[in-house]
Amino acid sequence: QVQLVESGGGSVQAGGSLRLSCAISGYTDAYYCMGWYRQAPGKEREGVASIRAANRLTYYADSVKGRFTISQDNAENTLYLQMNSLKQEDTGMYYCAAARTFGTCGLGTLLNLRYRGQGTQVTVSS
Protein backbone atom coordinates (compact mmCIF):
# COMPACT_ATOMS: atom_id res chain seq x y z
CA GLN A 1 0.00 0.00 0.00
CA VAL A 2 1.36 3.41 -0.98
CA GLN A 3 0.66 6.38 1.27
CA LEU A 4 1.13 10.04 0.39
CA VAL A 5 1.38 12.90 2.86
CA GLU A 6 1.52 16.48 1.63
CA SER A 7 2.98 19.45 3.47
CA GLY A 8 4.19 22.96 2.77
CA GLY A 9 0.98 24.76 2.03
CA GLY A 10 0.12 28.10 3.58
CA SER A 11 -0.86 31.67 2.94
CA VAL A 12 1.28 33.93 0.81
CA GLN A 13 0.93 37.22 -1.00
CA ALA A 14 0.75 37.34 -4.76
CA GLY A 15 4.21 37.14 -6.26
CA GLY A 16 5.47 34.98 -3.43
CA SER A 17 6.68 31.39 -3.40
CA LEU A 18 5.89 28.13 -1.69
CA ARG A 19 7.33 24.65 -1.93
CA LEU A 20 5.00 21.72 -1.46
CA SER A 21 6.32 18.33 -0.40
CA CYS A 22 4.75 14.91 -0.73
CA ALA A 23 6.27 12.14 1.36
CA ILE A 24 5.70 8.79 -0.33
CA SER A 25 5.79 5.58 1.70
CA GLY A 26 5.38 2.08 0.36
CA TYR A 27 6.74 0.42 -2.73
CA THR A 28 7.22 2.46 -5.88
CA ASP A 29 9.22 1.77 -9.01
CA ALA A 30 10.26 3.32 -12.28
CA TYR A 31 6.81 2.77 -13.79
CA TYR A 32 5.25 5.17 -11.34
CA CYS A 33 3.55 8.32 -12.51
CA MET A 34 3.35 11.03 -9.86
CA GLY A 35 2.15 14.57 -9.67
CA TRP A 36 0.06 17.34 -8.23
CA TYR A 37 -3.46 18.46 -8.89
CA ARG A 38 -5.52 21.15 -7.26
CA GLN A 39 -9.09 22.06 -6.59
CA ALA A 40 -10.49 25.47 -5.81
CA PRO A 41 -13.90 25.91 -4.16
CA GLY A 42 -16.67 25.41 -6.69
CA LYS A 43 -14.28 24.39 -9.45
CA GLU A 44 -13.25 21.16 -11.11
CA ARG A 45 -10.03 19.41 -10.23
CA GLU A 46 -7.13 20.61 -12.33
CA GLY A 47 -3.95 18.71 -13.06
CA VAL A 48 -1.00 20.97 -12.29
CA ALA A 49 2.17 18.97 -12.94
CA SER A 50 3.19 15.36 -13.40
CA ILE A 51 6.43 13.41 -13.63
CA ARG A 52 7.37 9.90 -14.72
CA ALA A 53 9.74 8.25 -12.25
CA ALA A 54 11.74 6.42 -14.92
CA ASN A 55 12.78 9.29 -17.14
CA ARG A 56 11.76 12.41 -15.20
CA LEU A 57 9.57 13.48 -18.11
CA THR A 58 7.30 16.26 -16.90
CA TYR A 59 4.02 17.84 -17.93
CA TYR A 60 2.63 21.16 -16.76
CA ALA A 61 -0.69 22.91 -17.03
CA ASP A 62 -0.44 25.97 -19.26
CA SER A 63 -1.52 28.13 -16.34
CA VAL A 64 1.60 27.25 -14.33
CA LYS A 65 4.28 26.81 -16.98
CA GLY A 66 7.35 28.86 -16.20
CA ARG A 67 6.26 29.38 -12.60
CA PHE A 68 5.97 25.88 -11.10
CA THR A 69 8.55 23.10 -11.09
CA ILE A 70 7.91 19.49 -10.17
CA SER A 71 10.77 17.32 -8.97
CA GLN A 72 11.41 14.09 -7.14
CA ASP A 73 14.06 13.05 -4.65
CA ASN A 74 14.51 9.31 -4.88
CA ALA A 75 16.72 9.13 -1.82
CA GLU A 76 14.07 10.82 0.31
CA ASN A 77 11.16 9.30 -1.64
CA THR A 78 9.63 12.73 -1.79
CA LEU A 79 7.87 14.65 -4.52
CA TYR A 80 8.12 18.43 -4.63
CA LEU A 81 6.29 21.28 -6.26
CA GLN A 82 8.15 24.58 -6.26
CA MET A 83 5.69 27.37 -6.87
CA ASN A 84 6.98 30.83 -7.75
CA SER A 85 5.27 34.04 -8.80
CA LEU A 86 2.07 32.85 -7.20
CA LYS A 87 -1.21 34.38 -8.30
CA GLN A 88 -4.56 34.57 -6.58
CA GLU A 89 -5.93 32.06 -9.06
CA ASP A 90 -3.45 29.49 -7.70
CA THR A 91 -5.45 29.36 -4.50
CA GLY A 92 -6.85 25.94 -3.73
CA MET A 93 -6.28 22.58 -2.11
CA TYR A 94 -3.27 20.84 -3.60
CA TYR A 95 -3.12 17.07 -3.72
CA CYS A 96 -0.33 14.66 -4.46
CA ALA A 97 -1.15 11.55 -6.51
CA ALA A 98 0.78 8.50 -7.65
CA ALA A 99 0.31 5.10 -9.23
CA ARG A 100 1.98 2.52 -11.40
CA THR A 101 0.97 3.09 -14.98
CA PHE A 102 2.32 2.02 -18.35
CA GLY A 103 0.53 4.68 -20.31
CA THR A 104 1.12 8.39 -20.64
CA CYS A 105 1.91 10.20 -17.42
CA GLY A 106 0.03 13.31 -18.44
CA LEU A 107 -2.27 15.63 -16.56
CA GLY A 108 -5.35 13.65 -17.55
CA THR A 109 -3.81 10.46 -16.20
CA LEU A 110 -2.86 12.30 -13.03
CA LEU A 111 -6.48 12.87 -12.07
CA ASN A 112 -7.18 9.15 -12.13
CA LEU A 113 -4.16 7.82 -10.27
CA ARG A 114 -4.90 5.28 -7.59
CA TYR A 115 -3.08 6.77 -4.61
CA ARG A 116 -3.78 10.27 -3.31
CA GLY A 117 -2.92 12.35 -0.29
CA GLN A 118 -5.20 14.37 1.95
CA GLY A 119 -4.15 17.67 0.47
CA THR A 120 -2.52 20.88 1.63
CA GLN A 121 -4.15 24.30 1.36
CA VAL A 122 -2.55 27.11 -0.62
CA THR A 123 -4.00 30.59 -0.28
CA VAL A 124 -2.67 33.49 -2.32
CA SER A 125 -3.82 36.98 -1.40
CA SER A 126 -3.46 40.23 -3.28
Side-chain angles (χ1 to χ4, degrees):
Q1 183 76 7
V2 174
Q3 292 185 322
L4 310 175
V5 179
E6 302 97 334
S7 61
S11 296
V12 65
Q13 287 192 320
S17 298
L18 284 172
R19 188 175 81 155
L20 306 184
S21 299
C22 174
I24 304 173
S25 61
Y27 177 75
T28 62
D29 59 29
Y31 293 103
Y32 261 67
C33 173
M34 301 170 285
W36 297 88
Y37 68 94
R38 65 188 179 189
Q39 188 165 25
K43 293 189 176 181
E44 299 285 327
R45 293 180 304 158
E46 176 190 20
V48 174
S50 63
I51 186 168
R52 167 74 72 184
N55 55 16
R56 309 289 180 107
L57 183 64
T58 58
Y59 292 89
Y60 293 94
D62 288 342
S63 58
V64 307
K65 279 181 183 175
R67 300 188 298 121
F68 290 12
T69 303
I70 188 171
S71 61
Q72 60 179 104
D73 184 327
N74 288 335
E76 298 290 333
N77 218 17
T78 302
L79 186 69
Y80 297 102
L81 184 68
Q82 177 67 44
M83 305 187 296
N84 298 328
S85 303
L86 282 161
K87 304 176 181 180
Q88 282 187 277
E89 50 264 43
D90 294 318
T91 294
M93 188 70 81
Y94 282 70
Y95 299 88
C96 175
R100 201 168 194 253
T101 175
F102 296 99
T104 301
C105 182
L107 299 182
T109 300
L110 181 62
L111 297 179
N112 296 302
L113 294 180
R114 178 179 180 183
Y115 302 110
R116 305 175 189 180
Q118 294 299 308
T120 185
Q121 177 68 36
V122 172
T123 303
V124 184
S125 59
S126 60

